[in-house]
């Protein structure tokens, strides 16, 4: 059934209601909508006139199309957006568009690709205003048949393709946050498991999880294995994460001592020599590489991209060119997965770079956050994004400074990556309106336990449990949208408790906008 929200003239002024009631087989549903049969399925129309009511309907229902009719709309109220001045901003349509797509908009209640503007005689200004909001479809006084055909055409564009999981970095606590989110998501899947999704993209800690998922190891097994050991996953110990980079320190000190005897090298002499004596990373990462190789070479597992049960793409950064590299794509498929993941997790200055084929690679988060573009390029039409790299927010002045240099460094790095990611999300959503993107990121008490250093080894169980509980609430906050999009990909999505909340805010107090992108 196609669901449409029509925003136009008030019902007591005729218009939409009279047209809908004239359709053969039309009936008034209990929730106030109009339902009637159409070739290919029923059509449901919600008709409202007030922008505030329209926003409430969008918050409560998943719609396939939002129709904004500018005909016979008097000027009312004040403009909601400083950048959209003029008579149009004072109409119901102008007010609704300003609320849907504010100047600083990242998350929207509906994708622009699902908005249809209608203009009447002398509607050139309204059509222009729709264009300023990047609304692609504007119809000039269409009949109901033409409007229905346009809705069907837009819905057809939402054809099903692949489902992708894109996992960002975030250190040890980010890794367990992502496991908690994946476990929560899987609890709503009836006839499919996370490992049966079509492709996986991972960066840094997300690459470690991704290589396990692509090998058929589910999130519950990964989490239990890392914490206490399972058949295919060993517990990860501090010594395997934090191995001091002594092998690089010795040669660098020896070189610096030799240069200092001669008065130093470089433009600043002794100072330049001392700077070069600092290792490329505090930790060598050798034991992490060994841990990964030991697992991926076990029976039933694969350490080669071509032999995986599902495609895997691992993001890294060439340290000398600052270019993003995707292991698993053409030209980089020959690299062993354990080396690719180790390179993707080389967060300098914590971890030394990984040398592959004579090049030095560092953490993929320096150039990309989730590789969502790779997922779309590989044919994904539904993308689940999980991003733990969110800076902590505090009204208390000096909160970050008081926690020292490592905490401050990570706060700055998270702010840079988070700002870049938000811009990238906005861009890719506009470039690919046919793709459904869903974002899971820390909120509330999750941000507290994820703040600061990426090396919170001892907090792994708390992170996973909190992420699981809060993600269940976030899923219920956008249940209709997720159920619709999973359904069009042939996946049954159902609340495991069989009882939905009456309202659309979970216990964590989060809204749909804090869960989804372009819903």
């Amino acid at each position: 059934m196609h669901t449409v929200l029509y925003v136009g003239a008030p019902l007591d002024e005729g218009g939409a209601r009279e047209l809908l009631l004239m359709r053969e087989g039309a009936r008034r549903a209990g929730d106030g909508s109009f339902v009637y049969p159409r070739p290919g399925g029923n059509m449901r129309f919600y008709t409202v006139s007030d922008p505030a009511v329209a926003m409430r309907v969008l918050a409560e229902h998943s719609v396939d199309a939002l129709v904004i009719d500018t005909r016979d709309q008097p000027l009312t109220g004040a403009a909601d957006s400083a950048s959209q001045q003029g008579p149009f901003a004072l109409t119901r349509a102008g007010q609704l568009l300003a609320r849907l797509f504010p100047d600083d908009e990242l998350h929207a209640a509906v994708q622009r690709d699902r908005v249809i503007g209608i203009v009447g005689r002398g509607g050139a200004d309204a059509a222009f205003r729709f264009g300023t909001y990047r609304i692609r479809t504007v119809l000039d006084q269409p009949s109901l048949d033409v409007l229905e055909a346009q809705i069907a055409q837009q819905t057809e564009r939402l054809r099903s393709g692949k489902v992708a999981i894109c996992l960002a970095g975030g250190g040890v606590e980010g890794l367990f946050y992502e496991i908690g989110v994946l476990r929560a998501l899987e609890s709503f899947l009836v006839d499919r498991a996370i490992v049966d999704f079509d492709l996986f993209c991972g960066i840094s800690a997300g690459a470690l999880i991704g290589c396990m998922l692509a090998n058929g190891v589910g999130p519950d097994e990964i989490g239990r294995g890392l914490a206490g050991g399972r058949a295919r996953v060993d517990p990860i110990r501090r010594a395997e994460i934090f191995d001091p980079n002594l092998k690089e320190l010795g040669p660098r000190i020896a070189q610096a001592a030799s240069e200092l005897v001669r008065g130093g090298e470089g433009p600043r002499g002794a100072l330049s020599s001392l700077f070069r004596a600092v290792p490329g990373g505090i930790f060598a990462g050798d034991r992490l590489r060994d841990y990964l190789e030991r697992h991926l070479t076990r029976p039933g597992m694969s350490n080669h991209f071509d032999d995986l049960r599902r495609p895997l793409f691992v993001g890294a950064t060439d340290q000398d060119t600052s270019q993003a590299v995707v292991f698993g794509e053409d030209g980089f498929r020959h690299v062993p997965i354990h080396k690719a993941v180790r390179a993707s997790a080389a967060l300098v200055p914590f971890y030394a770079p990984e040398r592959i084929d004579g090049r030095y690679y560092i953490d993929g988060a320096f150039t990309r956050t989730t590789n969502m573009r790779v997922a779309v390029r590989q044919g994904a039409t539904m993308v689940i994004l999980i991003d733990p790299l969110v800076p902590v927010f505090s009204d208390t002045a000096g909160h970050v400074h008081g926690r020292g240099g490592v905490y401050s460094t990570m706060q700055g790095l998270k702010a840079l990556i988070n700002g870049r990611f938000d811009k990238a999300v906005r861009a890719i959503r506009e470039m690919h309106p046919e793709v459904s993107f869903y974002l899971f990121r820390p909120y509330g008490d999750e941000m507290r336990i994820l703040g600061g250093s990426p090396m919170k080894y001892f907090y792994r169980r708390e992170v996973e449990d909190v992420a699981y509980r809060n993600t269940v609430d976030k899923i219920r906050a956008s249940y209709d949208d997720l159920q619709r999009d999973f359904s069009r990909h042939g996946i049954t999505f159902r609340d495991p408790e069989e009882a939905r909340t009456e309202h659309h805010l979970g216990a964590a107090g989060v809204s749909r906008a804090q869960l989804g992108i372009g819903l």
Side-chain angles (χ1 to χ4, degrees):
M1 178 184 295
H2 296 164
T3 301
V4 182
L5 172 59
Y6 179 95
V7 183
L11 293 180
D12 56 8
E13 296 179 13
R17 181 175 67 174
E18 292 184 2
L19 287 174
L20 295 171
L21 287 175
M22 290 172 60
R23 309 304 284 183
E24 183 178 355
R27 61 181 175 84
R28 191 75 177 263
D31 60 358
S33 64
F34 297 88
V35 180
Y36 56 89
R38 282 279 299 173
N42 289 346
M43 183 83 72
R44 180 189 298 275
F45 268 82
Y46 291 94
T47 60
V48 302
S49 60
D50 189 292
V53 176
M55 294 299 293
R56 287 200 296 270
V57 173
L58 288 171
E60 296 173 356
H61 299 280
S62 172
V63 302
D64 298 296
L66 168 63
V67 179
I68 304 178
D69 194 339
T70 65
R71 295 172 294 185
D72 302 321
Q73 292 200 9
L75 301 184
T76 58
D80 288 300
S81 171
S83 66
Q84 299 294 330
Q85 299 293 343
F88 181 80
L90 304 181
T91 65
R92 289 188 293 267
Q95 292 183 68
L96 178 57
L97 286 169
R99 295 180 185 184
L100 285 172
F101 311 113
D103 298 334
D104 60 349
E105 170 257 337
L106 173 63
H107 307 293
V110 65
Q111 287 177 275
R112 285 176 170 84
D113 190 53
R114 296 181 183 176
V115 179
I116 301 173
I118 296 180
V119 300
R121 289 190 181 93
D125 178 66
F128 171 77
R129 294 296 182 177
F130 277 121
T132 63
Y133 282 102
R134 300 188 295 283
I135 304 303
R136 300 181 182 182
T137 304
V138 180
L139 304 179
D140 183 9
Q141 303 189 77
S143 66
L144 188 54
D145 287 333
V146 171
L147 178 59
E148 290 173 349
Q150 180 63 44
I151 293 169
Q153 179 181 339
Q154 292 190 183
T155 305
E156 176 63 24
R157 287 204 301 266
L158 298 174
R159 60 189 184 277
S160 62
K162 299 176 181 178
V163 179
I165 296 285
C166 293
L167 305 165
V172 176
E173 78 274 25
L175 182 148
F176 283 95
Y177 172 83
E178 292 177 327
I179 292 174
V181 172
L182 291 170
R183 284 180 50 229
L185 184 63
E186 190 165 66
S187 71
F188 283 76
L189 302 177
V190 176
D191 52 5
R192 199 77 59 91
I194 292 290
V195 296
D196 295 322
F197 285 1
D198 298 294
L199 62 101
F200 302 97
C201 297
I203 290 177
S204 194
L208 191 153
I209 298 176
C211 75
M212 295 290 184
L213 295 175
N215 269 291
V217 184
D220 186 67
E221 185 176 359
I222 296 173
R224 292 177 181 274
L226 293 176
R230 303 289 284 180
R232 290 185 290 179
V233 183
D234 296 336
I236 190 166
R237 300 178 176 85
R238 282 185 297 172
E240 290 168 317
I241 303 176
F242 310 125
D243 53 337
N245 193 12
L246 300 177
K247 66 175 184 180
E248 185 181 348
L249 180 61
R252 284 185 177 272
I253 290 178
Q255 180 182 352
S258 177
E259 293 175 357
L260 290 173
V261 170
R262 299 192 302 269
E265 298 288 339
R268 293 180 177 82
L271 187 59
S272 294
S273 295
L274 289 174
F275 283 159
R276 283 198 295 274
V278 179
I282 300 173
F283 307 110
D286 294 341
R287 295 185 179 180
L288 176 61
R289 187 193 311 110
D290 294 341
Y291 175 89
L292 292 166
E293 184 177 20
R294 184 171 73 248
H295 282 75
L296 297 178
T297 53
R298 286 176 172 172
M301 304 282 281
S302 177
N303 197 26
H304 302 285
F305 287 98
D306 290 328
D307 298 332
L308 292 169
R309 64 188 300 276
R310 291 290 187 273
L312 171 68
F313 302 94
V314 175
T317 302
D318 188 311
Q319 188 178 38
D320 294 297
T321 64
S322 296
Q323 292 180 324
V325 171
V326 181
F327 296 107
E329 288 197 320
D330 292 342
F332 296 94
R333 299 181 64 83
H334 67 284
V335 177
I337 295 175
H338 78 280
K339 291 180 69 69
V341 175
R342 164 63 182 87
S344 182
L347 178 63
V348 293
F350 296 104
Y351 283 96
E354 179 76 2
R355 185 178 180 182
I356 300 175
D357 295 339
R359 305 293 301 180
Y360 289 83
Y361 295 96
I362 57 177
D363 199 306
F366 287 113
T367 47
R368 300 281 171 81
T369 305
T370 65
N371 270 338
M372 54 189 169
R373 295 178 188 273
V374 174
V376 174
R377 191 162 63 237
Q378 294 295 326
T381 52
M382 183 176 183
V383 182
I384 306 295
L385 308 168
I386 306 179
D387 174 29
L389 283 171
V390 177
V392 68
F393 176 84
S394 176
D395 289 323
T396 304
H399 171 82
V400 174
H401 176 74
R403 281 158 176 75
V406 172
Y407 194 103
S408 299
T409 299
M410 291 310 305
Q411 175 77 347
L413 183 61
K414 288 180 179 180
L416 286 171
I417 294 174
N418 184 255
R420 180 195 66 201
F421 179 60
D422 287 350
K423 293 179 181 178
V425 166
R426 185 182 297 112
I428 195 172
R429 189 186 61 195
E430 294 182 6
M431 291 171 59
H432 299 281
E434 76 283 0
V435 179
S436 298
F437 294 95
Y438 290 90
L439 172 66
F440 294 86
R441 64 192 342 176
Y443 178 84
D445 56 347
E446 297 169 305
M447 296 178 66
R448 174 185 59 80
I449 63 175
L450 287 170
S453 169
M455 306 298 175
K456 287 186 176 179
Y457 179 81
F458 292 110
Y459 290 90
R460 59 181 185 265
R461 182 54 93 186
E462 178 191 4
V463 170
E464 183 182 346
D465 289 344
V466 170
Y468 175 87
R469 293 194 303 271
N470 287 4
T471 301
V472 168
D473 290 326
K474 295 176 187 179
I475 290 174
R476 287 177 177 144
S478 198
Y479 183 87
D480 290 342
D481 296 283
L482 282 161
Q483 186 181 56
R484 176 202 63 208
D485 285 325
F486 273 117
S487 177
R488 73 182 176 96
H489 288 84
I491 301 173
T492 303
F493 191 81
R494 186 179 303 153
D495 193 323
E497 295 184 3
E498 297 289 341
R500 299 264 310 287
T501 54
E502 292 294 328
H503 50 78
H504 286 264
L505 289 177
V510 296
S511 68
R512 288 156 45 102
Q514 289 158 343
L515 168 61
I517 299 172
L519 301 179

